[in-house]
Amino acid sequence: MSTYNNVLIAIDIYGNAEQVLERAMDVVDESTNVHILHVAFHSPFIYASYGVGGMVSDTELPIKDQVRISALEHMHELLEKTSFSALKATVEFGRAQDVIIDKAQALNTDLIIIGSHGRHGLTLLLGSTANAVIHHAQCDVLAVRIRDDKNNTD
């Protein structure tokens, strides 16, 4: 039985979500209430790139809705490879660390699982999403070290 009852798994569906989901499967069990979250950055520039790059279909829906639908479809494809249900998968918009912390509080989460790239230099000084979540969350945080397969020596 898992020590945690209510877990939020924050993933970047266009990054290394598979590694975070794999590690999460080691931590939770069937009795754990799991919520999966992807945060899309809320920016007009991002929306413009979706429209120009052809990543989103040309429909009557506003760009934000198209981005959410596209992200959910991609998230469901990722979750099909795991034992996690897509029923509790959501896409939110905003600054990732703020959305993750707010969602965790709203869900009364006792563990957040998030990927971490272990940045160095300037990005370390400026901070990262995982670093901000670790320092501001009111619950435990598991930062999954993202492996770069090219440089992985494990």
Side-chain angles (χ1 to χ4, degrees), residues 18-139:
E18 295 89 356
Q19 291 179 42
V20 176
L21 292 169
E22 284 174 19
R23 184 65 179 113
M25 287 189 291
D26 295 337
V27 175
V28 303
D29 61 28
E30 61 278 347
S31 68
T32 309
N33 189 19
V34 176
H35 298 269
I36 301 169
L37 172 68
H38 168 72
V39 181
F41 187 67
H42 186 61
S43 165
F45 299 111
I46 297 294
Y47 300 146
S49 70
Y50 273 89
V52 171
M55 295 175 68
V56 180
S57 63
D58 191 22
T59 69
E60 299 283 328
L61 292 174
I63 295 293
K64 189 173 180 179
D65 291 337
Q66 292 181 52
V67 170
R68 183 184 312 272
I69 291 167
S70 177
L72 281 170
E73 288 171 353
H74 191 71
M75 186 183 294
H76 288 189
E77 290 172 13
L78 286 170
L79 294 178
E80 284 177 358
K81 302 172 189 172
T82 71
S83 61
F84 295 119
S85 167
L87 297 176
K88 293 185 180 176
T90 58
V91 174
E92 303 285 337
F93 291 87
R95 207 173 91 166
Q97 57 261 33
D98 297 335
V99 174
I100 293 166
I101 291 166
D102 291 347
K103 188 78 164 179
Q105 289 174 345
L107 295 171
N108 197 27
T109 299
D110 48 12
L111 175 66
I112 299 169
I113 301 175
I114 188 169
S116 173
H117 291 278
R119 303 202 190 280
H120 302 283
L122 185 59
T123 53
L124 179 62
L125 293 174
L126 296 174
S128 68
T129 300
N131 187 42
V133 170
I134 288 167
H135 287 93
H136 296 288
Q138 296 179 359
C139 63

Side-chain angles (χ1 to χ4, degrees), residues 2-13:
S2 174
T3 306
Y4 298 100
N5 298 316
N6 205 13
V7 174
L8 176 64
I9 305 170
I11 60 173
D12 176 2
I13 60 171

